[in-house]
Amino acid sequence: MRPITRALGGVAAAPALAAGTASPASAEPGDRGAATIDWHPCPEPAEVECGTLSLPIDWARPRGERFDLAVARRKATDPARRIGALVVNPGGPGGSGVNFALRADGYFSPEVRQRFDIVGFDPRGVGRSQPVRCSVEVLGRQPSVHPADQRAFDALAAYNRELAADCRAHSGPVHDHADTGSVVKDVDALRKALGERRINYYGLSYGTLIGRQYAEEFGRDVRAMVIDSNMDHSLGTWRFNETEARTAEDSFREFVAWCDRAESCALHGRDVTAAWDDLLARADRGEVVDPFEPTRTLGADDIIGIAFSAFYGPDWQPLSESLVELGAGTPARAAFAAEETALNPFAAVFCQDWAIRVADHRQFSALVDRARQVAPHMRGSSLGHAAMAGCVGLPGRVNNPQHRLDLDHAPKILMLNALHDPATGYEWAVDAHRQSRDTTVLLTYEGWGHGVYDRSDCTRGATDDYLINLRTPRPGARCAAVEPAPVSAATPGARPVPEGPTQAVPGW
C-alpha cells in the first residue's frame, strides 16, 4: 500500500518545457551584459511563461560546464500596481518550483497575484534543471535502512556509495554541486536575469533553507522574504535525530486527540493508541496484508509511513479509515499508484547540505534507540531516519555544512510555522528565530500540518500584508488553529505533499 496523501497531490513528473533560453548570467540588471530570459508560453497553462537560464555547474569555475535552470513566470494580474517578482520554492529537496508557479493561482491569494510576478524555478539537479538521475535497477537494490549489525551497516554504506556513483554517472557533475549554497547563487543570477534590483521570496519547508542562505549571502538584494515551515540548519546529528522524532510523535498524539473528539474518525470511541500499537505489532509478525498486492505483507515502517504522510494535511479522516481497513484486511479507498522513476535528487542535495554521518553500527543503533524513546508510537521519524540512513558511508566533507544563522544585511523576514508540524517541528522555527531575533518575526499557527500560508484568513492575511505593505506581525503573534474539515479517503483534497527520499516518505 502507498501513502494515502500521495493521492492528494504532489510534484508531478517534469515534462519537457517549450522554453526560451538566456545568455550566461553575470552582470547586474541594467548592465549591457546582463542575461535576459527569452520567455515563451508554457505548454500548460499557456498564460504562464517558461524559459531557461544558462548557469555554471560549479560557481568556482564560472567558465566551466553549464546547465539550464528551468524557470516559469506567472505575471502580475494588475501590471499598473506590480511590486516586483516573488520567487517561490516548494521544498523537498526535489520539489519543482516551475510546477509551483504553474499552479500558483490555486495557492496564493488574488491580492498577491495582482501585485507580483510569481516566478518558480527547478533547483539544479531537480525536475527540468538537469535532474539527478539514477538507474532504477540500483535504486531497487537498496538494503534495509535498519541494519541489524555492523555487517549490515557496512552493506548499507557500500550501497550508498554505489548509488552515488551510479547517479553521478547518469547525471554528470551537477550531482556533486546540487547543494543549497550553489542554489542561492543561481537565485541571484535569476534575480539579475529578471532585471530586479531586489526580489521577494516565498520558500516552503526545504525552500526555507534556500531563502535563509540567500538572505545571508545576498541580504541587500531582498525586499521581502517569507519562510514557511522552517528548517534548522544549525543542528548536529543527535539533535537532528531527536527533534525529528519528537515532532513526528507530537503529530501522532494530535491525531489520537482528534479521534477522541471527532465522531468522523473511523476509530472514534476506541483506544486509538492501543489499536495503533496492535496494528504495528501484527505488521512486525507479518500478519498485515497489502490490500493492493495480496501476495505482499506490510511492515510497520509501511504503516508508519502512511500515517506520517497523512499528518502533512492533516488528512486525519482518510488515515483513520485506512487504519481500520488495514486492521480488517479490506481494501483501502485511497492509494498512490507509484510509477517507476529514475529521478532521485534527495540524497544528492541533503547529504551535501548536512554533515550528518554515522560512524558505525553502534552509533546508528544508539541514535535509533534514542529516537524510539522520544517517539515510541512513531518509532522515530520516517523522514529523519531515511535522510540519516541515506548519508551513511558518504564522504564526511560536504559543500554546505550546518551553521548558525548570520543575517547581518537582510530586511525583516517573516517566519511561519505550525505548532504541530510533523516534519519541520516548531522547535526548529523557534531555534532559528532565536538565532536571528533582530531580523526575523515568527508567526505561530496553533494548528496542525505542514505549510502555514493558506491555513486560515489569519495566516494568509498576515503574510499578504507583509509581502505587499512590508508590515510584519507583532512579536509573538499567533493565529488560531482551524479544525480540518472532514474529508473521506474516497474524496481526497488537493494539498501538495513535498517530494521526499522515497515514494513512501514525503520530504520537507
Side-chain angles (χ1 to χ4, degrees), residues 316-332:
W316 286 333
Q317 183 174 335
L319 172 61
S320 70
E321 294 169 358
S322 292
L323 294 180
V324 168
E325 291 158 345
L326 283 173
T330 56

Side-chain angles (χ1 to χ4, degrees), residues 147-296:
D149 51 31
Q150 184 62 42
R151 182 176 180 178
F153 179 88
D154 292 341
L156 177 61
Y159 169 80
N160 286 342
R161 291 190 292 269
E162 178 191 5
L163 178 62
D166 176 83
C167 300
R168 187 179 297 111
H170 284 85
S171 311
V174 74
H175 176 273
D176 296 323
H177 296 278
D179 58 281
T180 297
S182 297
V183 171
V184 300
K185 293 179 174 62
D186 299 342
V187 173
D188 202 55
L190 175 60
R191 174 188 66 83
K192 296 171 185 176
L194 292 170
E196 301 288 336
R197 290 291 176 185
R198 294 186 298 164
I199 60 169
N200 308 277
Y201 180 84
Y202 173 84
L204 175 63
S205 198
Y206 210 82
T208 66
L209 182 57
I210 297 173
R212 281 207 302 269
Q213 290 202 224
Y214 184 83
E216 285 183 301
E217 190 165 348
F218 302 104
R220 291 187 176 92
D221 300 316
V222 176
R223 174 188 172 272
M225 178 173 289
V226 179
I227 45 179
D228 183 345
S229 306
N230 288 263
M231 303 294 294
D232 183 358
H233 199 225
S234 70
L235 300 176
T237 301
W238 284 89
R239 281 199 64 211
F240 173 86
N241 175 67
E242 184 170 323
T243 52
E244 278 290 82
R246 185 155 42 240
T247 200
E249 186 75 4
D250 171 74
S251 286
F252 173 78
R253 290 195 299 267
E254 291 297 311
F255 167 66
V256 172
W258 172 80
C259 270
D260 288 343
R261 67 178 181 266
E263 293 185 3
S264 56
C265 175
L267 293 163
H268 181 70
R270 297 175 57 184
D271 185 333
V272 178
T273 301
W276 169 264
D277 289 343
D278 177 67
L279 183 61
L280 295 190
R282 289 174 53 204
D284 287 335
R285 296 192 298 267
E287 297 172 2
V288 179
V289 176
D290 185 338
F292 295 93
E293 298 179 31
T295 60
R296 174 178 177 263

Side-chain angles (χ1 to χ4, degrees), residues 74-136:
R74 181 180 285 274
K75 283 192 170 182
T77 59
D78 189 349
R81 302 173 66 220
R82 177 186 179 275
I83 293 172
L86 176 62
V87 177
V88 299
N89 181 272
S96 168
V98 168
N99 286 351
F100 197 8
L102 294 176
R103 302 167 185 167
D105 58 333
Y107 186 76
F108 291 105
S109 70
E111 292 76 18
V112 167
R113 289 185 281 115
Q114 286 170 3
R115 307 299 296 276
F116 295 95
D117 293 346
I118 297 174
V119 179
F121 68 100
D122 286 358
R124 52 175 57 219
V126 171
R128 305 159 178 87
S129 296
Q130 196 165 326
V132 172
R133 293 183 177 274
C134 316
S135 70
V136 175

